[in-house]
Amino acid sequence: MQYGRRVVVTGMGIICPIGNSVEEAWTNAKNGVNGVDFIERWDTDGLTVKFGGEVRNFDPGEIFGKRDARRMDRVTQLAMFATQQALDDAELDLSSMDPYDIGVLIGSGIGGIETLLEGTIGFVKRGERGVGPLVVPMMLPDAPSARVSMEYSLRGPNMAVSTACATGNNAIGEATAMISRGAADVMVAGGTEAGIVNMALAGFNNMTAISRRNDDPKTASRPFDKDRDGFVIGEGSAVLILEEREHALARGAKIYAEIMGYGTTADAYHVTAPMENGDGAVKAMERALKDAGLTFEDIDYLNAHGTSTQLNDASETRAVKTVFGERAYDIPVSSTKSMTGHLLGAAGAVEAVFSIMALQDNYAPPTINQITPDPECDLDYVPNEGRAVEIHNVMSNSFGFGGHNAVLIFGEHSENGHA
């Protein structure tokens, strides 16, 4: 980063369609395990699309107590679960730190939509008396960040970012900048989403953005495949503990990776479609490289946005070729959305965990469901099976509706900051 202070990752937590811990999710990602299936939490009668990437084996009442669970939308419950993992992993002694030096920045693309829907239905059926007193605070996009800060008495910078599917990357990038400029020593940062609800499925279906493969949900998310027909909606959360490097070293923390670079731009083009030439994405990648003090030759693995839509995958492929030139063909590029589905505002954070674990294990996870090659998408997408790769620096892309582009670069931690 170009500010004065270096930022490292000292803790991680995750809950997603392929695992409810970092170890479980990463093992499944490496092995190409598919988390997409028919939806179980909602009655999908009347809906065209009946599948998604759901979080399973998660009982909020058992984890938080029934009373507290009722006071949190699912989007907050998921974030709280991931945060507890990340804090435990980081082994931070919060009681020994100034709470004003620890902040929270957890983003969400759509916030507490389940609470909003229930409140709306209640109002339509019963009027004012049908709306609960906690509907407003539970549905706000800042509810996860607020709840985490209150739970752990963290009084530093506290806010939420909402940039559609770029949210997770923007949250981590902006939190990194806060530490780098001295606004905090530690940030709890990431993304969370619980958008598998009937209204969202209907809306995405009517705009022809999601796959309709009800006959074979397991192959529905097929990024970069010629026969892709839309993304698969997913849910979950991932949280990183970001820490000023000297602070982490002083307490003997284990360091997973260093946040090397962050670039963010806007297409200013279309509310849902990316620029055909991928120029906004190109500029975000280039700015992340510049911020990191790296060149395209230094990137060893790229975790793609790779949504499984016709427009995104072709546009992102063109953008990668523009940035990397002929070397684009030599870089393993994979989309873990092929296994998790698209977690919207949580996607970038979940993929940050996978990117960091790829760095840790020197392993590129696969893009599953690579069935029919697409001439427009002709890079090395690590088809169907992951592979061992020497990795020193990872680039992770996230692009969102509204033209939001956010790119992160994670690198091995070293004395001079450049692996």
Side-chain angles (χ1 to χ4, degrees):
M1 298 292 289
Q2 291 188 350
Y3 287 105
R5 308 203 307 168
R6 290 165 60 184
V7 181
V8 295
V9 179
T10 57
M12 298 190 291
I14 192 172
I15 178 168
C16 73
I18 59 171
N20 295 356
S21 69
V22 172
E23 181 180 8
E24 181 185 18
W26 175 237
T27 297
N28 285 335
K30 288 173 70 175
N31 292 322
V33 174
N34 197 324
V36 174
D37 211 332
F38 289 107
I39 292 167
E40 295 181 351
R41 288 191 67 241
W42 287 86
D43 182 354
T44 58
D45 283 353
L47 294 176
T48 299
V49 176
K50 301 178 182 295
F51 58 91
E54 285 186 306
V55 164
R56 301 179 189 275
N57 304 313
F58 175 64
D59 184 345
E62 183 178 318
I63 295 166
F64 305 112
K66 291 183 179 179
R67 181 175 179 274
D68 277 355
R70 285 196 302 269
R71 291 168 173 258
M72 291 184 276
D73 184 271
R74 187 170 175 86
V75 75
T76 301
Q77 295 168 353
L78 295 170
M80 286 283 287
F81 188 79
T83 297
Q84 182 63 65
Q85 286 183 42
L87 286 170
D88 288 347
D89 186 34
E91 299 182 333
L92 273 168
D93 180 6
L94 298 178
S95 64
S96 69
M97 296 182 61
D98 184 340
Y100 290 96
D101 290 334
I102 312 172
V104 185
L105 207 171
I106 298 174
S108 177
I110 53 180
I113 191 171
E114 192 169 322
T115 295
L116 174 61
L117 278 175
E118 290 174 352
T120 301
I121 292 168
F123 182 77
V124 169
K125 287 183 175 180
R126 300 177 56 206
E128 190 173 277
R129 294 183 61 190
V131 180
L134 296 179
V135 163
V136 172
M138 286 171 62
M139 75 180 188
L140 292 174
D142 77 317
S145 275
R147 182 70 189 229
V148 166
S149 73
M150 288 184 279
E151 180 73 18
Y152 299 101
S153 299
L154 309 180
R155 294 176 175 161
N158 185 281
M159 63 190 71
V161 168
S162 186
T163 52
C165 307
T167 295
N169 270 13
N170 277 134
I172 294 168
E174 296 301 324
T176 298
M178 288 179 181
I179 296 174
S180 194
R181 70 173 185 256
D185 289 332
V186 175
M187 291 292 295
V188 179
T192 185
E193 205 75 274
I196 303 182
V197 296
N198 50 18
M199 185 180 74
L201 281 163
F204 283 130
N205 175 69
N206 290 345
M207 68 184 292
T208 65
I210 55 176
S211 172
R212 297 174 176 174
R213 296 180 190 274
N214 288 303
D215 59 329
D216 191 10
K218 290 292 185 184
T219 67
S221 184
R222 48 175 71 191
F224 306 110
D225 186 82
K226 183 180 180 180
D227 295 326
R228 63 192 182 275
D229 69 330
F231 72 83
V232 174
I233 191 169
E235 65 174 355
S237 178
V239 170
L240 305 183
I241 305 302
L242 307 181
E243 196 166 347
E244 191 272 324
R245 176 180 177 268
E246 297 304 319
H247 186 278
L249 291 175
R251 70 180 188 87
K254 66 177 178 294
I255 294 175
Y256 285 104
E258 182 166 354
I259 311 290
M260 305 294 290
Y262 168 53
T264 186
T265 64
D267 285 353
Y269 171 69
H270 190 274
V271 69
T272 57
M275 300 175 77
E276 287 188 19
N277 64 5
D279 191 57
V282 167
K283 293 297 191 293
M285 285 186 271
E286 289 177 344
R287 292 186 175 203
L289 287 168
K290 181 179 179 181
D291 190 40
L294 301 174
T295 74
F296 65 85
E297 295 283 355
D298 297 309
I299 301 301
D300 305 301
Y301 165 65
L302 195 154
N303 188 290
H305 187 52
T307 58
S308 186
T309 65
Q310 286 289 337
L311 292 178
N312 172 86
D313 294 3
S315 174
E316 184 173 13
T317 297
R318 284 191 286 271
V320 170
K321 291 178 184 179
T322 299
V323 173
F324 291 89
E326 285 300 311
R327 189 164 183 275
Y329 292 95
D330 299 326
I331 301 171
V333 178
S334 62
S335 172
T336 45
K337 289 183 180 72
S338 59
M339 295 171 275
T340 64
H342 190 348
L343 274 65
L344 311 178
V350 165
E351 288 152 23
V353 170
F354 293 151
S355 295
I356 291 167
M357 291 308 298
L359 185 72
Q360 285 278 308
D361 281 5
N362 288 296
Y363 195 89
T367 305
I368 66 169
N369 297 325
Q370 291 286 286
I371 301 167
T372 307
D374 183 348
E376 279 197 279
C377 300
D378 58 349
L379 300 179
D380 175 7
Y381 301 114
V382 196
N384 301 314
E385 292 187 10
R387 75 173 78 111
V389 180
E390 185 175 347
I391 300 175
H392 302 287
N393 297 293
V394 175
M395 176 179 283
S396 183
N397 289 343
S398 285
F399 312 127
F401 282 179
H404 305 285
N405 305 302
V407 177
L408 293 170
I409 296 175
F410 303 96
E412 291 177 319
H413 173 254
S414 64
E415 287 303 311
N416 63 12
H418 297 275

